[in-house]
Amino acid sequence: MIEILAPAELNRARDTGALVAEILRTLRDRATVGTNLLTIDAWARGMTIESGATSCYVDYEPSFGRGPFGHHICTAVNDAVLHGKPHDYALADGDLLTLDLAVSLRGIAADAAISFVVGETTSPESVALIDTTERALAAGIAAARPGARIGDLSHAIGSVLREAGYSVNTEFGGHGIGSTMHQDPHIPNTGRPGRGYLLRPGLLLALEPWAMVGTDRLVTDADGWTLRSATGGRAAHSEHTIAITDDGAEVLTGPPSARD
């Protein structure tokens, strides 16, 4: 299903996007050395409920997961990159943490992810990895406009990832979003320009480049959800929900300055 939002629905999408951005910003500030992943999940749950929103994750039960996800946020650490299921782990100095959050407010969903290093210790590898996913996301957003095609976005994202030396996995990528979290069209993180679905105003998309050091292969944890690098290398993931407008792409889950 591909939804095209009416103007009133787009206004609600802006509210949902702003909420997701605010929760992620708060969690990033709170996630320090010693913070438990289950505590982060509890914070996400509290802020979601207090805002009158509902989690898109708690009851989420796709074919690639084992049972309902059961948590309010994905927390991926170091070699984990996608669908990180919160568990009893205290963050250590230098951990690379990805937080991925999707909520629905007044019937419209928004989805975003951020990656960052916890504490004071970092490494050039982690900085470069995070920076590359953020630049790839920015390139995909810049390519999103009425008349463009999904392949244009995929090509822009993949070009940044490959030029930085990362191989690209196409099993998981971006997606349409609207009244539900995951919709068509699928947006691979690499592709051929000029191909695929034609973008038009009112379309919501979640773009989500991710990369792993030294591999494009994933393995699944025993929890049935958390996806990790097959070689144990670090991983990062950046995501925004955008709206296609007459003027281009509007970032709904960015900082307030990006939504002005």
Side-chain angles (χ1 to χ4, degrees), residues 137-193:
L137 178 56
I141 292 169
R145 61 188 182 277
R149 293 187 179 272
I150 291 297
D152 299 324
L153 280 60
S154 296
H155 177 73
I157 290 169
S159 295
V160 173
L161 295 176
R162 287 192 303 273
E163 286 169 7
Y166 301 103
S167 52
V168 181
N169 178 296
T170 56
E171 293 175 80
F172 297 93
H175 51 89
I177 189 169
S179 60
T180 57
M181 175 176 60
H182 280 158
Q183 299 180 359
D184 292 330
H186 174 61
I187 309 167
N189 282 328
T190 189
R192 297 176 63 182

Side-chain angles (χ1 to χ4, degrees), residues 203-226:
L203 178 68
L204 292 192
L205 300 172
L207 307 185
E208 48 181 316
W210 54 277
M212 301 177 290
V213 174
T215 187
D216 62 357
R217 293 189 301 113
L218 295 165
V219 294
T220 305
D221 264 7
D223 64 17
W225 278 96
T226 304

